[in-house]
DNA sequence: GTGCTTGTTGGCCA
DNA sequence: GTGGCCAACAAGCA
């Protein structure tokens, strides 16, 4: 379930290898979809022998930096089922392990069952272009109420649910976070973006930031989310709203399975 | 066998 | 050109 907090959590998992050299790069299945458009050979040849310097996350994107000059970059998107882990230095690749960075005392492993993820490789002192072009992070100063209001206006005839999933404005928000945000803001997921009054748009902006902050804090502490969140009830048939105990509803909105409380989030 | 799935992209259409 | 919708991608699970 890699949305913003899970991506940030994944980033930290590989921190175990920071400052250490990559001795060997294993790519057991170079033709998997995760490597579409990537020069796997260059990735393997160039990263071998280099030190793992730093990592960064923005939304669902990850960027790892390597090499003495810091000029080697490994970009990553976890897709639907991507996972980062740290295993022993001698771990043999499993069926879904697609990239293994072998270090002296551990292996940094990327695995991805469904292959919706992506691994990119870039050489150069500057970070890759695609990274520089990403939308400003939700918790940054550039994520303003004005930027959100303008976006809602431009996308006026799209449902709020679909709008929140657009990475160009809400980097890192995925299906469950979008539902959590709308539930907390008492907004119906099918409401058109253009229908929000300025005060409601501001409330949505605040709630996007709050859910992002709380989920990051929560995953750091407990690796889970509180039972008071919609998150813990959304997948059970017969799930109840943790606030008013109404029966939750589920339907496809904005092309995705959406869960909401018909009482708290009554359509206007 | 059937019909789902927490993401993104490209193609089609208005 | 812009915006909106949806099938497709792959693999596993109920």
């Amino acid at each position: 379930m890699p949305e913003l907090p899970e991506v940030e959590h994944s980033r930290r998992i590989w921190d175990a290898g920071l400052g250490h050299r990559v001795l060997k790069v294993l790519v057991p299945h170079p033709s998997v979809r995760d490597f579409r458009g990537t020069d796997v050979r260059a990735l393997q040849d160039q990263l071998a022998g280099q030190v793992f310097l730093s990592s960064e996350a923005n939304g669902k994107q990850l960027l790892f930096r390597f090499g003495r000059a810091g000029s080697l970059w490994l970009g990553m998107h976890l897709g639907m089922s991507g996972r980062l882990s740290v295993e022993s230095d001698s771990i043999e690749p499993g069926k879904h392990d697609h990239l293994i960075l072998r270090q002296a005392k551990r292996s940094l492993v990327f695995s991805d069952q469904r292959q919706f993820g992506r691994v990119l490789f870039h050489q150069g002192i500057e970070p890759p272009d695609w990274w520089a072009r990403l939308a400003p992070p939700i918790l940054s100063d550039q994520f303003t109420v004005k930027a959100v209001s303008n976006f809602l206006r431009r996308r006026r005839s799209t449902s709020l649910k679909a709008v929140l999933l657009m990475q160009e404005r809400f980097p890192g928000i995925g299906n469950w976070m979008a539902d959590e945000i709308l539930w907390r803001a008492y907004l119906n997921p099918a409401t058109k973006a253009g229908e929000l009054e300025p005060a409601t748009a501001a409330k949505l902006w605040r709630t996007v930031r709050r859910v992002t902050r709380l989920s990051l804090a929560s995953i750091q502490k407990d690796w889970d989310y509180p039972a008071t969140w919609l998150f813990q009830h959304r997948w059970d048939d017969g799930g109840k709203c943790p606030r008013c105990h109404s029966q939750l509803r589920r339907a496809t909105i904005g092309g995705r399975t959406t869960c909401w409380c018909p009482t708290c989030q009554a359509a206007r």
Side-chain angles (χ1 to χ4, degrees), chain A residues 8 18 22 41-42 67 77 146 191 201 208 218 241 268:
Chain A
E8 172 60 17
L18 277 177
V22 174
R41 201 44 174 287
H77 191 294
K146 186 158 184 241
T191 299
V208 168
S218 196
C241 172
R268 298 181 309 152

Side-chain angles (χ1 to χ4, degrees), chain A residues 25 27 29-47 61-62 73-77 98-99 110 116-123 128 130:
Chain A
V25 179
V27 180
H29 325 285
S31 59
V32 289
R33 244 176 78 85
D34 300 74
F35 294 109
R36 59 197 180 279
T38 297
D39 188 344
V40 175
R41 201 44 174 287
L43 184 160
Q44 284 187 280
D45 292 348
Q46 300 296 314
L47 280 189
Q61 309 282 343
L62 288 161
W73 310 81
L74 191 61
M76 206 175 274
H77 191 294
H98 301 316
L99 180 68
F110 164 74
F116 285 94
R118 187 146 210 189
V119 177
L120 297 168
F121 181 61
H122 170 77
Q123 305 183 59
W130 61 263

Side-chain angles (χ1 to χ4, degrees), chain A residues 12-243:
Chain A
R12 293 200 196 128
I13 287 173
W14 270 21
D15 277 359
L18 277 177
H20 300 286
R21 196 171 297 280
V22 174
L23 303 176
K24 194 172 176 195
V25 179
L26 305 185
V27 180
H29 325 285
S31 59
V32 289
R33 244 176 78 85
D34 300 74
F35 294 109
R36 59 197 180 279
T38 297
D39 188 344
V40 175
R41 201 44 174 287
L43 184 160
Q44 284 187 280
D45 292 348
Q46 300 296 314
L47 280 189
Q50 305 296 335
V51 174
F52 176 23
L53 294 178
S54 62
S55 64
E56 223 178 319
N58 181 1
K60 296 175 191 169
Q61 309 282 343
L62 288 161
L63 188 62
F64 301 93
R65 193 173 194 183
F66 297 83
R68 186 171 302 159
S71 59
L72 301 173
W73 310 81
L74 191 61
M76 206 175 274
H77 191 294
L78 300 177
M80 295 271 244
S81 57
R83 227 170 69 79
L84 297 184
S85 61
V86 175
E87 309 290 346
S88 82
D89 58 307
S90 58
I91 186 87
E92 288 301 316
K95 185 177 175 191
H96 300 299
D97 297 340
H98 301 316
L99 180 68
I100 297 181
L101 305 184
R102 196 79 97 191
Q103 297 185 321
K105 298 198 172 153
R106 69 196 72 73
S107 299
L108 307 178
V109 181
F110 164 74
S111 39
D112 184 10
Q113 243 183 33
R114 291 174 63 187
Q115 302 175 31
F116 285 94
R118 187 146 210 189
V119 177
L120 297 168
F121 181 61
H122 170 77
Q123 305 183 59
I125 288 301
E126 298 297 323
D129 284 348
W130 61 263
W131 178 262
R133 281 196 302 268
L134 294 178
I138 287 168
L139 296 180
S140 74
D141 291 343
Q142 294 108 285
F143 185 82
T144 60
V145 65
K146 186 158 184 241
V148 169
S149 304
N150 288 344
F151 193 73
L152 293 176
R153 199 170 314 122
R154 180 146 70 91
R155 300 291 187 162
R156 63 182 79 87
S157 54
T158 304
S159 66
L160 290 175
K161 172 62 185 267
V163 161
L164 284 176
L165 292 175
M166 294 180 176
Q167 303 298 298
E168 63 192 278
R169 179 44 63 198
F170 302 102
I173 303 297
N175 205 31
W176 79 255
M177 286 185 84
D179 286 355
E180 193 77 33
I181 289 161
L182 294 170
W183 174 74
R184 279 181 181 253
Y186 294 86
L187 292 168
N188 188 278
T191 299
K192 303 290 184 206
E195 293 173 24
L196 298 197
E197 303 293 337
T200 314
K203 180 168 78 173
L204 180 61
W205 168 78
R206 272 197 308 277
T207 311
V208 168
R209 309 231 319 170
R210 178 168 302 137
V211 167
T212 301
R213 242 192 326 266
L214 291 176
S215 58
L216 278 170
S218 196
I219 207 159
Q220 269 178 65
K221 205 171 93 211
D222 297 333
W223 225 114
D224 205 356
Y225 306 105
T228 51
W229 293 26
L230 179 65
F231 181 89
Q232 296 297 355
H233 311 272
R234 54 174 296 137
W235 303 114
D236 318 331
D237 279 327
K240 301 269 197 298
C241 172
R243 230 166 16 203

